[in-house]
Amino acid sequence: MEHNPQDLSQMNPASLSATPLAILSSDGSDEQRKLAEQELQQLDQTIRLQANLIELAHDAIIVRNPASRIVSWNKGSETLYGWAAHEILGQVTHTLLDTRFPQSRHWEGELIHTCRDGRQVIVESRQVLVRDEQGRPKAILEINRDITERRLRDAKVQVLSETTRQMDEFLGIASHELRAPLTAIKGNLQLAKRQLNRMLKQDEITKEEVAGTITTIQGLLDRAERQATVQNRLVNDLIDISRIHAGRLELQVEPCDLTGIVREVVEDQRDTSPTRTILFESPTMELPVQADIDRVGQVVNNYLSNALKYSEETHPVEVHIELEGSVVRVSVRDEGPGLPPGEQERIWDRFYRAEGVEMKSGSGVGLGLGLHICRTIIEQHGGQVGVESKEGVGSTFWFTLPLAQPRGS
Ligand code: ADP
């Protein structure tokens, strides 16, 4: 059976199977001819039935000739891709559908196709090379099932289970982190109370003994206070994160000097970590910005606390502030473990804590919320955040804020 290009639309996939048409042309008796006609009628019925089935199928069933041109295109193909058969017969499928896969003869797998309206669909494709009786390639039968919905559902389920896993992990860490300072506070208060009771029970007590006990109690209360500060920070982070999630992190923006904000945080950290070296060369000039003083201070404090807690006691941490065109840039450099490139993006995500980065000093593991909060605060100010880091060398966390326009300009 020959097909010229005009006849392509008439070609039926079922006709690709070998047919006994040769019988008709052969000389023979009437009986033989009748038999052949009957056989042909039956075959015709089968072909029609198969053609109807192909039309009914939801799958896109496409038949291509060996030159990859479309010779048959069923209703399923029309529904999936949007072109009617008469519009595209004779076209090359891969050009029409912008198929993305390395072309091969016997193939089964997933493809991404671009439909007429530009929509992308994912199809499960089965492609078979059909040969004629002589074994020559005659056509390629392509059956495409639309699995876009299924794949989207799979992706959603995956995201959901990843979020649930992160949430479970977070709850475990959060409850542990909140309980640890509480246990320490309770322990220190009990010890202080015991010291006090012992002193009160003593009939005779010298002034020196009273002074000694008071010093001990002061030490215990200091420790309890430090733990309360840790817990306060954790609770504040949790409150901030829920505000961010609800889109309700409000800023009290006012004209201020960024140098002053950074200097104050550095001085506070030097007080709380007297054993650490924090290098900071304060610029002599003011760097005016429009900012929420407490929130920007919180960002500097977070960068600095991280730099201190993830690097060795003996290693210094450097803070810089400089003018870069129309923005002011603050950076905190440490000689800690550094981060591989893949982690440098992810650490800004909510709950994310880089693998293999361990705390070297300070208390509390952290909830993986700080940097996410920092990024939100800075971006809400119209600034940017980032990190430059090299594994085994250290990290520089930075942020920028737009320099405020001088008044009257
Ligand atoms: P955390 O409370 O866990 O410190 P952050 O959001 O502040 O949460 O930081 C997220 C993660 O980024 C940390 O768990 C740590 O793995 C990594 N990280 C943050 N700062 C540094 C740093 N200076 N050096 C190396 N890794 C860091």
Side-chain angles (χ1 to χ4, degrees), residues 66-317:
S68 256
R69 294 194 180 274
I70 302 167
V71 293
S72 172
W73 177 268
N74 74 338
K75 275 267 172 334
S77 310
E78 285 188 21
T79 313
L80 177 60
Y81 296 120
W83 286 282
H86 69 270
E87 293 178 286
I88 45 75
L89 287 171
Q91 292 198 30
V92 175
T93 33
H94 300 320
T95 314
L96 178 73
L97 301 174
D98 186 25
T99 306
R100 298 201 222 138
F101 79 109
Q103 205 171 343
S104 74
R105 295 259 163 120
H106 303 271
W107 194 83
E108 198 170 320
E110 282 181 26
L111 299 172
I112 296 173
H113 277 154
T114 305
C115 303
R116 185 186 204 170
D117 56 7
R119 196 170 34 96
Q120 290 202 320
V121 288
I122 307 168
V123 295
E124 197 173 66
S125 183
R126 274 168 290 152
Q127 305 192 5
V128 189
L129 182 70
V130 183
R131 296 178 186 276
D132 63 13
E133 289 133 77
Q134 280 75 44
R136 289 187 301 249
K138 189 166 182 182
I140 297 148
L141 180 66
E142 176 172 340
I143 305 182
N144 295 344
R145 173 167 296 178
D146 183 3
I147 56 162
T148 316
E149 280 292 312
R150 201 203 307 166
R151 283 286 165 269
L152 287 178
R153 256 199 323 271
D154 290 351
K156 267 189 209 154
V157 168
Q158 215 175 347
V159 168
L160 218 75
S161 62
E162 174 59 14
T163 312
T164 313
R165 192 195 60 75
Q166 278 186 347
M167 207 60 203
D168 283 347
E169 192 183 293
F170 170 74
L171 283 175
I173 297 168
S175 40
H176 176 265
E177 286 305 299
L178 286 171
R179 203 176 48 194
L182 203 61
T183 313
I185 293 168
K186 222 170 137 190
N188 283 306
L189 290 181
Q190 276 168 350
L191 284 177
K193 227 166 99 183
R194 214 174 291 162
Q195 290 281 335
L196 204 61
N197 284 340
R198 216 177 50 201
M199 189 173 73
L200 291 174
K201 274 190 202 142
Q202 270 175 286
D203 293 334
E204 279 176 32
I205 187 162
T206 63
K207 251 187 172 178
E208 287 73 32
E209 279 172 329
V210 173
T213 308
I214 286 175
T215 310
T216 312
I217 291 174
Q218 259 173 347
L220 292 167
L221 292 180
D222 279 348
R223 249 177 270 163
E225 193 184 13
R226 274 201 299 277
Q227 292 301 323
T229 310
V230 170
Q231 199 174 32
N232 195 30
R233 209 199 65 225
L234 292 174
V235 173
N236 283 342
D237 275 2
L238 286 172
I239 294 170
D240 282 351
I241 216 77
S242 72
R243 280 196 187 137
I244 289 172
H245 201 52
R248 283 192 292 107
L249 188 80
E250 278 158 27
L251 300 179
Q252 310 291 325
V253 175
E254 57 184 304
C256 53
D257 166 34
L258 190 54
T259 309
I261 300 176
V262 175
R263 193 185 305 122
E264 204 160 300
V265 173
V266 169
E267 276 161 16
D268 280 353
Q269 281 284 0
R270 279 178 179 154
D271 283 347
T272 43
S273 314
T275 54
R276 302 298 300 260
T277 308
I278 303 173
L279 304 166
F280 174 56
E281 231 174 85
S282 177
T284 43
M285 58 176 174
E286 283 196 359
L287 293 166
V289 289
Q290 284 283 343
D292 182 320
I293 298 175
D294 290 342
R295 289 298 186 183
V296 171
Q298 181 183 346
V299 175
V300 182
N301 193 41
N302 209 307
Y303 279 11
L304 199 47
S305 312
N306 280 354
L308 293 169
K309 83 178 174 189
Y310 293 117
S311 62
E312 298 286 353
E313 275 275 336
T314 50
H315 288 241
V317 167

Side-chain angles (χ1 to χ4, degrees), residues 318-390:
E318 274 174 52
V319 182
H320 290 275
I321 174 164
E322 58 228 321
L323 192 59
E324 275 184 3
S326 59
V327 298
V328 192
R329 180 183 158 109
V330 177
S331 53
V332 178
R333 193 171 84 85
D334 65 57
E335 295 174 5
L339 293 155
E343 300 279 30
Q344 291 173 25
E345 278 289 310
R346 303 193 63 190
I347 47 167
W348 305 93
D349 291 349
R350 201 159 53 129
F351 309 136
Y352 192 79
R353 293 158 63 233
E355 248 169 65
V357 174
E358 277 161 28
M359 272 186 38
K360 295 290 190 303
S361 53
S363 55
V365 175
L367 301 176
L369 300 177
L371 291 179
H372 184 75
I373 298 170
C374 290
R375 185 176 68 179
T376 311
I377 292 173
I378 294 300
E379 286 179 353
Q380 225 161 298
H381 277 86
Q384 286 182 326
V385 296
V387 60
E388 279 131 34
S389 187
K390 205 164 173 213

